[in-house]
Amino acid sequence: MKNTLTANNNIDNSVIDNTAVENTAMENTAVKGTALPVITANHVSKSFLTDNGEDLKVLTHISMTLHEGEIVAILGRSGAGKSTFLRILAGLVPPSDGRVKYRGKPLTGPNPGVAMVFQTFALMPWLTVESNVELGLQAQGVGRKERKAAALKAIDSIGLDGFESAYPKELSGGMRQRVGIARALVLKPDALFMDEPFSALDVLTAENLRQEVLKLWADGSGALRSILIVTHNIEEAVQMADRVVVLGSHPGHVIADVPITLPRPRDKHTAAFESTVDSLYAILTGQADAARGGHREEALSGLQQMFADSSQGSHSLPDATPGGMAGLLEIVADHEDGVDLADLASALTFEVDDLFPLLDAGTLLGMLDVEEGHVSLTPAGREWNDADILDSKMIFARMAISHVPLIRAIDRTLRQSKNGKVRGDLIVDLLRGKHNDEAAQQQFRIAVEWGRYGELFDYDSDDDTLTLDDNAQ
């Protein structure tokens, strides 16, 4: 998409002049050496107590710094703890371990230098645009006349002039997010925190708002200094950030801190931009591969022994359907030498969180090879893609038994059961040894879906009973 969008009658698609953005990264970040960092996190960890009394670790030993004048993106998959970390830095959630500092002083409550923009807009529906924008100033005790003037200025700066008396229900999604941004900007924060701020918007509106935020950051007025944005959109991170901090999952931890040195404004269609996107894809997929080999099932006795696998790593099943995997392999098969993940995501108009479970599932089953941001079919993947429906089920079953310990364990349990049956809640209870309750239920659901597709076993939800499929070999 071009950096300047064509205007129409919709306020969300107004013309954006990006000339002010050019060459500002160097100017804005030049102040790094003259001031204390805005925010510093040292070895931050966070755990939560689950409903069944287990200690669930969400983040572990995360350290990072946000300097004045820079834009930093926190990138990671779902479950990496990105939003939790953002809230810890904002002082809304205390860390379990580690320390956060604002301007060199330990944070003991809400961060006074931070304003937040949320994915869900978080507007008060009973208040007008102007009143919503004034909320933060009112909480600070700013007088009516002063906060009205400041609110009107912020509303004008984000392109909502004329909508001061409108209510949120009268606005489009893009316009409501503009109100959220204006409400944050009116506080003149040291750092603007943005939690997936554009993910609920259509593509054109999201692009428009990204450019407006960059323009406000670059204009030198001081209304917007530093930005910390949480995202799962790799292109968005490369487009906006001076640095991208990549988090791995379960628990969240830093796996890379990547400087983005591309000149502004950034053209998504240049080789340098695409190469940077590919590099970040490679980092994320490499982390997935590492995670797959990083855990081992414990040696257990009796029935539980069937859920142990001494030769392969234990891992969560990706939340992907066999049909989705088949569709992905069909697309990849059209490229004899494989395809870059960035190109694949763009062609499918997928967000990264939609694409990665399919990639993980294909890689887990030995049907896809992902390396350095490039995906291609393995011989087994090509065999599955070329097979008819009956043969494809047999191939899938063979690969699932070979590569997925949970599927293999359920199959063994059923075959060794005297009546060829086992209760589903028993499998879920065993899974709770490695997962919280919600994740255990999800893993069971995925295993059942894969097992049914491969005609390995069936499940009667009324009786909560797993049985061997009549066609099982």
Side-chain angles (χ1 to χ4, degrees), residues 218-331:
D219 71 3
S221 67
L224 184 53
R225 302 174 186 175
S226 304
I227 301 175
L228 186 62
I229 180 170
V230 160
T231 182
H232 60 254
N233 185 318
I234 295 178
E235 287 195 353
E236 180 175 271
V238 175
Q239 183 182 11
M240 296 191 71
D242 299 308
R243 284 191 295 125
V244 178
V245 177
V246 185
L247 298 187
S249 304
H250 308 301
H253 59 284
V254 175
I255 58 175
D257 190 331
V258 182
I260 308 297
T261 58
L262 302 175
R264 299 178 187 272
R266 293 172 180 169
D267 185 349
K268 294 181 180 180
H269 303 293
T270 64
F273 189 99
E274 293 175 354
S275 176
T276 305
V277 169
D278 288 344
S279 295
L280 289 170
Y281 266 106
I283 290 170
L284 282 169
T285 54
Q287 173 62 16
D289 291 341
R292 277 195 285 271
H295 304 286
R296 298 290 178 184
E297 290 285 358
E298 296 177 358
L300 303 172
S301 60
L303 182 59
Q304 289 174 305
Q305 179 62 40
M306 297 176 187
F307 284 78
D309 192 295
S310 60
S311 62
Q312 296 190 42
S314 170
H315 42 76
S316 298
L317 292 181
D319 194 359
T321 66
M325 284 183 263
L328 177 64
L329 263 68
E330 185 175 353
I331 293 172

Side-chain angles (χ1 to χ4, degrees), residues 9 12 52 62 79 120 125 230 262 270 287 343 355 398 404 427:
N9 293 327
D12 292 333
N52 58 5
I62 296 182
T120 54
V230 160
L262 302 175
T270 64
Q287 173 62 16
D343 294 336
L355 183 58
R398 184 180 76 236
V404 186
I427 306 299

Side-chain angles (χ1 to χ4, degrees), residues 33-164:
T34 63
L36 286 169
V38 179
I39 296 169
T40 304
N42 292 313
H43 301 290
V44 167
S45 298
K46 182 63 182 179
S47 298
F48 293 99
L49 194 64
T50 64
D51 292 340
N52 58 5
E54 296 179 357
D55 195 39
L56 177 64
K57 179 160 280 192
V58 177
L59 303 170
T60 182
H61 298 295
I62 296 182
S63 297
M64 67 156 283
T65 300
L66 176 66
H67 295 282
E68 186 167 318
E70 74 172 344
I71 302 176
V72 173
I74 300 176
L75 178 68
R77 304 185 183 204
S78 294
K82 304 183 298 293
S83 295
T84 299
F85 183 54
L86 194 72
R87 283 158 173 73
I88 290 174
L89 297 181
L92 303 179
V93 175
S96 301
D97 292 295
R99 175 175 291 185
V100 176
K101 292 182 179 180
Y102 166 65
R103 295 293 187 187
K105 295 182 179 180
L107 201 62
T108 57
N111 195 322
V114 163
M116 289 194 70
V117 176
F118 300 94
Q119 175 185 359
T120 54
F121 316 138
L123 303 180
M124 303 301 175
W126 59 87
L127 296 180
T128 64
V129 167
E130 181 182 331
S131 296
N132 265 288
V133 175
E134 288 184 14
L135 274 177
L137 294 175
Q138 187 174 3
Q140 293 179 353
V142 177
R144 169 68 181 162
K145 184 176 180 180
E146 185 180 349
R147 70 173 185 258
K148 180 180 178 67
L152 292 177
K153 183 178 179 181
I155 289 169
D156 184 56
S157 73
I158 201 64
L160 281 176
D161 190 26
F163 289 84
E164 296 86 353

Side-chain angles (χ1 to χ4, degrees), residues 397-412:
R398 184 180 76 236
M399 302 305 287
I401 290 292
S402 298
H403 296 283
V404 186
L406 176 57
I407 300 291
R408 183 168 58 251
I410 294 174
D411 181 73
R412 288 178 183 172

